[in-house]
Amino acid sequence: MLTKSMLKFAWLFSVRDITLRKFRSLLTILAISIGVASFVALRLVSIGVHIKVTEEVNQLINADLIIYGEGICDVPQFVEQLLATIPHIKKTTSIVMIRGWIESNRGKYFANIIGCDPKSLKDFFNVSLIEGRMFRDGENNVVIIHEDIARSIRATLGKNVIVKPHIMIKGSEGYTAEIIGVSEASASIGGFSFFTYCIIPLKDAQKLIGSEGYVTYIFVKVSNKKYTNSIKRDIKRLFPKALITEQKEITKIINRIVNTITGLMVALTLIGMVVAFFAVANTIMMNVREHVRDIGILKAIGSRKSYILFMFLLEAFLLSIVGGIIGILLGIAGSYALRELLPQMGISFIVPIVLDTYTLIIGFLLSVSVGLLASLYPSWRASLISPIEALKYE
Amino acid sequence: MSRIVVKLENVSKIYRIRSYEVHALKNVNLEVRKGELLVIMGPSGSGKSTLLNIIGTLDKPTKGGVILDGVNIMQLSEDELAYIRCKKVGFVFQFFNLINNFTALENVMLPLVLSGDYTVKEAKEKALELLRLVGLEKFINNRPSQMSGGQQQRVAIARALANDPSIVLMDEPTGNVDVEAATKILSLVNWLNKTYGHTFLIVTHNPDVANIGTRVLYIRDGMLYEKPPKSAFSRIKLLEDNIEVRNAYLRILIVELNSLKRKILLGKVDYEEALDMLGRLEKKARDLGVSI
């Protein structure tokens, strides 16, 4: 049984041990905190990515169904008119989406080129402009570019840029267009891609790749979600070759991919915890070795085995608490640093960092449990040391 | 007659080191009474530390019985023994054995805390008085490493007295301090015994310690004697011949002979040198009664 005064003495012993061997304690704390920090940082970022992706994709929920073909741009545009015959369809729109480049005399930038009607721009996409305007019906040779592109190629409103489809797509001549709008970076053009985009009129896009009369996607809005399945069946009957996907499936798929990647990364950080485990085990073993004589003395003056076990566990516990707290703080800082690094990896959106309590608690529990588990064996061994042998120990 | 604090009945201790058996104690019978200052004299290896460890319940005898303050310790569990050590026994060692993470005061508080009977405040008050008793009130906040050997030993004595033990066991308490410090320590022990009636059992090979004893016993080869045995060196018997040593020496000669052979074959030594070396080896071999 531990009395309050015994607790105090165990505390004194451990704290002095930690402070008397500053460097070693520091290294152990560092090992723990780096393990915890990498876990916390990656988990926070992955939660942020998850939130952002769901948010982004959900903005596209404007389209309940998406019809597409097997090629890049092989859905006949007349399909859209035929869809009007299917009951419960509220709205439809045709979209061309290809990968390409935007060039100015100051540089070029990778972008998704989206061709759509001014009306569908309003109905199906959430594009908010920082400056300029949307294009009007019948207008051509105009482009709305993403803020990131504008910054990167130093293009401003009113300037001309060349929009070029990817080299693999026929008709890579390019298309000169005037910038009439710059869209906000956070504005989403639906979860299709997390890269940057530019928007041009549908007709221009079709002309650009030489496939007039064809589109990449037809977006469909239903009047009531409960009809989604029957509409899907109807479309399938009309166009057996059409591929149809629901928006929520896209969300699911994307999230599954994101979760797999981030889950893998978080799992990798557990290697850090394994390293921390050995660091703590090593420290406590060294401690036990240094204190063999003290253990003998303690036993000789009447200490129980359990008290000695407690003393050494307490030290590991203190180290891992400090390591855990520092690790969490480092992890939070690290998640912000990681967020700054992400755009350089081609992810253009800003990941929101949410201080998820669950993650922080897990990080802390991880450090404490690793610390305690790692010290269990050496502490237990310490408690078994024979006092006679220990007192002879030099 | 005062009551018996320690009673050993036919205590034997045998250590097994691989195939060897060391009889550290042989049928030892001993009674220590309350208020005694018993000094047991003996050279190193005579079994005095083993005796002390057994009385102090750190070790158990191979045979025989140990009764400490009326309790037979033979049947007690490890935790019960820890309790006995805490409450009934005080230890003072040759090398002081204070815990360096703790100050002098905390070292003296430790047995009080471990007993579970004192709050930190009470333990502190009592420890302070104990340190005053041994004349170290000025050093209460010093670490053991900041004190001289004599001071450390007095802290150890204060610690041993902390729980008012039935007996204080001392293993060469003056073995590692200078004469002046030894005088102080022995005077303190003597005074504690005479004035407060503390019971002490001191094992030592220092004859000065015997002077303060109310009773002196002698230990040789694991046996206790009332009077000093005749020769302190009786244990040492010089070996007349040792075949093992001779054989080992012979093997060394063979190695040297082979080395010489190699040098001759490689022409690294000239003829005269070789003859000279061979002559020397031959002589050594002859001394061992072998011819080469």
Side-chain angles (χ1 to χ4, degrees):
Chain A
M1 193 193 59
L2 283 171
T3 61
K4 233 164 92 184
S5 44
M6 284 187 206
L7 280 177
K8 186 178 170 182
F9 265 65
W11 166 266
L12 270 181
F13 187 86
S14 303
V15 167
R16 295 220 178 119
D17 234 22
I18 292 170
T19 49
L20 284 175
R21 293 162 183 79
K22 282 189 194 70
F23 196 59
R24 192 172 72 200
S25 308
L26 194 74
L27 288 180
T28 313
I29 288 171
L30 222 61
I32 300 170
S33 56
I34 287 171
V36 173
S38 55
F39 170 81
V40 168
L42 271 175
R43 233 190 99 98
L44 287 182
V45 168
S46 76
I47 288 173
V49 170
H50 191 97
I51 291 170
K52 187 72 182 175
V53 166
T54 312
E55 198 177 86
E56 292 252 324
V57 175
N58 282 345
Q59 285 186 338
L60 192 73
I61 298 242
N62 285 337
D64 299 312
L65 291 173
I66 297 158
I67 302 166
Y68 57 102
E70 281 166 355
I72 293 165
C73 187
D74 58 354
V75 182
Q77 209 175 340
F78 66 81
V79 171
E80 197 187 337
Q81 275 91 54
L82 291 176
L83 286 178
T85 61
I86 297 172
H88 307 301
I89 287 184
K90 203 166 98 191
K91 267 179 198 160
T92 56
T93 189
S94 301
I95 304 288
V96 167
M97 194 184 292
I98 46 172
R99 284 134 110 35
W101 302 92
I102 297 208
E103 276 181 35
S104 76
N105 47 3
R106 309 292 290 271
K108 68 181 196 176
Y109 202 89
F110 177 81
N112 285 300
I113 302 165
I114 294 165
C116 69
D117 287 332
K119 197 167 69 66
S120 56
L121 204 55
K122 254 182 256 140
D123 293 343
F124 286 87
F125 298 122
N126 291 312
V127 175
S128 46
L129 298 181
I130 315 173
E131 48 180 351
R133 58 173 179 85
M134 303 285 184
F135 46 78
R136 303 185 193 95
D137 265 333
E139 207 171 6
N140 54 17
N141 289 78
V142 288
V143 66
I144 295 169
I145 62 170
H146 188 276
E147 187 186 359
D148 282 352
I149 304 177
R151 202 183 316 116
S152 169
I153 62 172
R154 294 182 220 169
T156 49
L157 221 54
K159 287 263 173 64
N160 277 348
V161 288
I162 300 165
V163 180
K164 255 190 193 169
H166 195 272
I167 201 85
M168 299 298 284
I169 301 162
K170 54 187 175 178
S172 51
E173 281 302 292
Y175 152 87
T176 309
E178 183 195 339
I179 301 169
I180 58 160
V182 177
S183 65
E184 205 184 330
S186 65
S188 161
I189 200 89
F192 276 105
S193 162
F194 303 111
F195 298 104
T196 45
Y197 57 85
C198 69
I199 307 167
I200 57 175
L202 181 64
K203 285 244 159 49
D204 286 1
Q206 288 171 326
K207 222 181 285 168
L208 183 65
I209 56 170
S211 52
E212 276 112 329
Y214 288 89
V215 295
T216 317
Y217 302 106
I218 295 175
F219 287 2
V220 176
K221 262 191 191 175
V222 300
S223 57
N224 192 322
K225 298 253 194 225
K226 68 182 176 189
Y227 301 122
T228 311
N229 278 333
S230 75
I231 293 169
K232 245 162 105 176
R233 268 198 304 277
D234 290 343
I235 298 171
K236 214 62 183 162
R237 203 175 304 133
L238 271 176
F239 311 104
K241 279 191 162 175
L243 301 171
I244 309 165
T245 186
E246 275 180 65
Q247 190 50 56
K248 60 180 183 212
E249 281 167 26
I250 292 184
T251 319
K252 243 191 265 167
I253 291 165
I254 292 175
N255 265 332
R256 203 181 303 147
I257 295 167
V258 170
N259 284 347
T260 313
I261 296 169
T262 54
L264 213 68
M265 292 202 296
V266 171
L268 277 178
T269 64
L270 293 181
I271 293 173
M273 293 315 295
V274 174
V275 173
F277 179 92
F278 289 118
V280 175
N282 184 46
T283 303
I284 299 301
M285 264 182 198
M286 299 262 291
N287 252 345
V288 169
R289 188 166 286 199
E290 275 172 29
H291 288 300
V292 167
R293 229 187 149 84
D294 290 347
I295 294 167
I297 298 165
L298 280 165
K299 283 200 166 178
I301 62 175
S303 163
R304 287 163 176 240
K305 264 198 304 199
S306 52
Y307 187 60
I308 288 161
L309 181 72
F310 175 75
M311 270 182 150
F312 285 94
L313 283 182
L314 181 67
E315 187 164 340
F317 185 62
L318 292 179
L319 286 173
S320 50
I321 282 183
V322 177
I325 292 170
I326 294 175
I328 285 172
L329 296 178
L330 280 180
I332 293 171
S335 66
Y336 282 97
L338 210 59
R339 175 170 83 169
E340 298 304 311
L341 276 177
L342 280 178
Q344 290 173 26
M345 301 177 193
I347 298 174
S348 68
F349 58 79
I350 297 289
V351 177
I353 300 292
V354 181
L355 295 184
D356 177 45
T357 346
Y358 185 64
T359 301
L360 303 186
I361 289 172
I362 288 188
F364 188 71
L365 289 182
L366 210 60
S367 79
V368 171
S369 49
V370 159
L372 283 182
L373 276 179
S375 59
L376 209 56
Y377 179 70
S379 307
W380 176 70
R381 286 283 301 269
S383 75
L384 293 186
I385 291 174
S386 133
I388 299 170
E389 293 304 312
L391 287 170
K392 280 186 208 155
Y393 191 87
E394 289 299 314
Chain B
M1 265 245 195
S2 53
R3 73 187 163 91
I4 295 169
V5 180
V6 174
K7 187 169 182 168
L8 301 188
E9 286 169 335
N10 294 319
V11 166
S12 293
K13 179 73 187 177
I14 301 166
Y15 290 113
R16 286 194 177 79
I17 307 159
R18 292 192 200 104
S19 55
Y20 292 92
E21 274 192 357
V22 179
H23 292 258
L25 292 177
K26 297 168 189 164
N27 276 323
V28 171
N29 286 290
L30 176 69
E31 281 180 5
V32 184
R33 288 178 184 275
K34 176 109 189 70
E36 264 196 285
L37 200 168
L38 174 61
V39 177
I40 297 180
M41 300 269 300
S44 61
S46 57
K48 56 189 195 317
S49 289
T50 305
L51 182 71
L52 214 63
N53 285 339
I54 285 177
I55 296 172
T57 80
L58 288 174
D59 208 351
K60 277 189 177 173
T62 319
K63 245 175 37 206
V66 180
I67 294 159
L68 191 66
D69 220 11
V71 182
N72 187 345
I73 66 145
M74 297 302 283
Q75 284 110 35
L76 298 183
S77 72
E78 219 180 301
D79 277 352
E80 285 166 329
L81 288 179
Y83 181 78
I84 295 269
R85 282 199 292 274
C86 186
K87 301 282 284 183
K88 300 203 185 275
V89 183
F91 274 104
V92 176
F93 303 92
Q94 182 178 356
F95 295 103
F96 329 128
N97 281 344
L98 300 175
I99 292 178
N100 206 37
N101 275 14
F102 292 139
T103 62
L105 185 68
E106 286 158 355
N107 265 291
V108 180
M109 285 167 79
L110 199 54
L112 299 167
V113 164
L114 287 173
S115 75
D117 296 340
Y118 298 85
T119 64
V120 173
K121 191 167 165 278
E122 289 163 353
K124 199 172 192 167
E125 277 172 26
K126 189 168 179 188
L128 203 64
E129 292 312 318
L130 284 162
L131 281 171
R132 219 166 258 155
L133 194 72
V134 299
L136 286 175
E137 64 269 35
K138 281 184 195 144
F139 298 91
I140 56 167
N141 288 323
N142 284 35
R143 289 270 172 78
S145 54
Q146 299 162 328
M147 286 189 279
S148 72
Q151 289 169 334
Q152 285 189 59
Q153 198 58 303
R154 272 143 68 201
V155 175
I157 292 170
R159 182 180 68 184
L161 295 173
N163 276 324
D164 307 310
S166 308
I167 188 163
V168 177
L169 305 172
M170 297 182 145
D171 191 353
E172 298 279 10
T174 56
N176 218 33
V177 295
D178 57 46
V179 179
E180 199 185 329
T183 313
K184 256 188 194 167
I185 288 164
L186 291 179
S187 315
L188 177 67
V189 170
N190 190 35
W191 181 69
L192 286 167
N193 173 254
K194 296 280 174 317
T195 321
Y196 292 93
H198 280 295
T199 314
F200 287 91
L201 194 164
I202 308 175
V203 299
T204 182
H205 63 251
N206 178 0
D208 291 340
V209 179
N211 291 337
I212 62 163
T214 56
R215 179 155 67 118
V216 181
L217 293 174
Y218 301 87
I219 188 168
R220 290 288 187 283
D221 288 333
M223 284 185 281
L224 279 180
Y225 300 90
E226 304 252 328
K227 295 238 161 67
K230 287 213 171 105
S231 167
F233 295 103
S234 64
R235 286 182 316 131
I236 301 172
K237 282 191 215 110
L238 292 174
L239 300 167
E240 309 250 306
D241 190 19
N242 191 330
I243 198 81
E244 298 237 331
V245 175
R246 216 163 64 121
N247 285 348
Y249 199 75
L250 213 55
R251 281 194 293 273
I252 294 168
L253 278 186
I254 292 168
V255 172
E256 277 182 29
L257 208 60
N258 284 337
S259 165
L260 183 62
K261 208 162 105 189
R262 183 182 56 86
K263 281 178 194 149
I264 293 169
L265 286 175
L266 288 173
K268 285 207 172 164
V269 285
D270 57 34
Y271 182 70
E272 282 193 1
E273 246 180 300
L275 260 185
D276 186 35
M277 285 162 96
L278 198 64
R280 255 182 285 157
L281 286 179
E282 234 178 345
K283 188 182 174 298
K284 280 184 189 170
R286 233 181 295 122
D287 290 345
L288 288 169
V290 186
S291 64
I292 48 172

